[in-house]
C-alpha cells in the first residue's frame, strides 16, 4: 500500500471520510442558515446594503455547493465506495484552495484564519489520497 493509505485501515479511512463529509455538510449548512457569519469567516465583510445582499446570495450559493457535494459523499459512504469518495474529496481540494484564495483577498489578508483554511486543504488532500488508495 502507498502512503498515506498504509497509516490506517480501510474501515478507518471510511470513517475519516465520513467525518470530513459531515464537516463539509455542516459548513454548507452554515452558509445557507447564516450567510453573514459564513462570509465573515472567509474574510468577506460587506460595507453597503447592496454588498450585504450580494454577499448573502453568494454564501447561499456556496452553501448549496457544499451540501450537494456532501450529499454525494454520504451516498458513496453508504454504498461502500471508498475510491469514489476519495476522487470527489481530492477534487474538493480545488474548492478549498479557491476558498482560501478568496479569503486572502479580504481585509484581514493572511491572518490566522487563512492558515486554518490551508490546514483544512491539506487534511482534505490527505483524506482523499487515503480513500483513493483503499
Amino acid at each position: 500500500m502507498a502512503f498515506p493509505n498504509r497509516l490506517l485501515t480501510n474501515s478507518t479511512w471510511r470513517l475519516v471520510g465520513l467525518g470530513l463529509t459531515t464537516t463539509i455538510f455542516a459548513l454548507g449548512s452554515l452558509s445557507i442558515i447564516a450567510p453573514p457569519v459564513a462570509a465573515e469567516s472567509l474574510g468577506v465583510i460587506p460595507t453597503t446594503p447592496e454588498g450585504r445582499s450580494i454577499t448573502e446570495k453568494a454564501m447561499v450559493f456556496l452553501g448549496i455547493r457544499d451540501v450537494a457535494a456532501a450529499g454525494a459523499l454520504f451516498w458513496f459512504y453508504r454504498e461502500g465506495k471508498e475510491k469514489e469518495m476519495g476522487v470527489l474529496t481530492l477534487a474538493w481540494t480545488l474548492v478549498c484552495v479557491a476558498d482560501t484564495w478568496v479569503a486572502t483577498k479580504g481585509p484581514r489578508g493572511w491572518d490566522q484564519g487563512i492558515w486554518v483554511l490551508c490546514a483544512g486543504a491539506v487534511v482534505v488532500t490527505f483524506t482523499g489520497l487515503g480513500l483513493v488508495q483503499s
Side-chain angles (χ1 to χ4, degrees):
M1 291 275 162
F3 183 80
N5 183 270
R6 66 177 176 239
L7 297 176
L8 302 171
T9 64
N10 287 349
S11 61
T12 304
W13 278 116
R14 273 190 87 217
L15 290 175
V16 171
L18 179 61
L20 183 61
T21 300
T22 305
T23 302
I24 293 169
F25 179 80
L27 291 173
S29 297
L30 174 67
S31 293
I32 294 168
I33 295 167
V37 174
E40 188 175 332
S41 72
L42 286 174
V44 178
I45 303 169
T47 56
T48 65
E50 181 184 21
R52 286 192 249 318
S53 173
I54 291 169
T55 299
E56 185 169 324
K57 291 173 187 171
M59 288 295 106
V60 170
F61 176 76
L62 295 178
I64 291 296
R65 171 200 72 179
D66 293 356
V67 169
L73 287 167
F74 278 129
W75 180 263
F76 289 147
Y77 176 82
R78 182 180 171 277
E79 296 294 314
K81 297 183 174 185
E82 290 86 10
K83 289 187 189 316
E84 290 83 350
M85 281 182 78
V87 169
L88 184 53
T89 302
L90 282 173
W92 198 254
T93 301
L94 296 174
V95 172
C96 294
V97 170
D99 287 350
T100 302
W101 179 75
V102 167
T104 62
K105 302 298 181 190
R108 295 185 297 195
W110 284 87
D111 70 352
Q112 303 90 333
I114 298 300
W115 298 110
V116 172
L117 290 173
C118 291
V122 170
V123 168
V124 167
T125 304
F126 193 77
T127 302
L129 287 171
L131 286 166
V132 163
Q133 296 168 2
S134 294

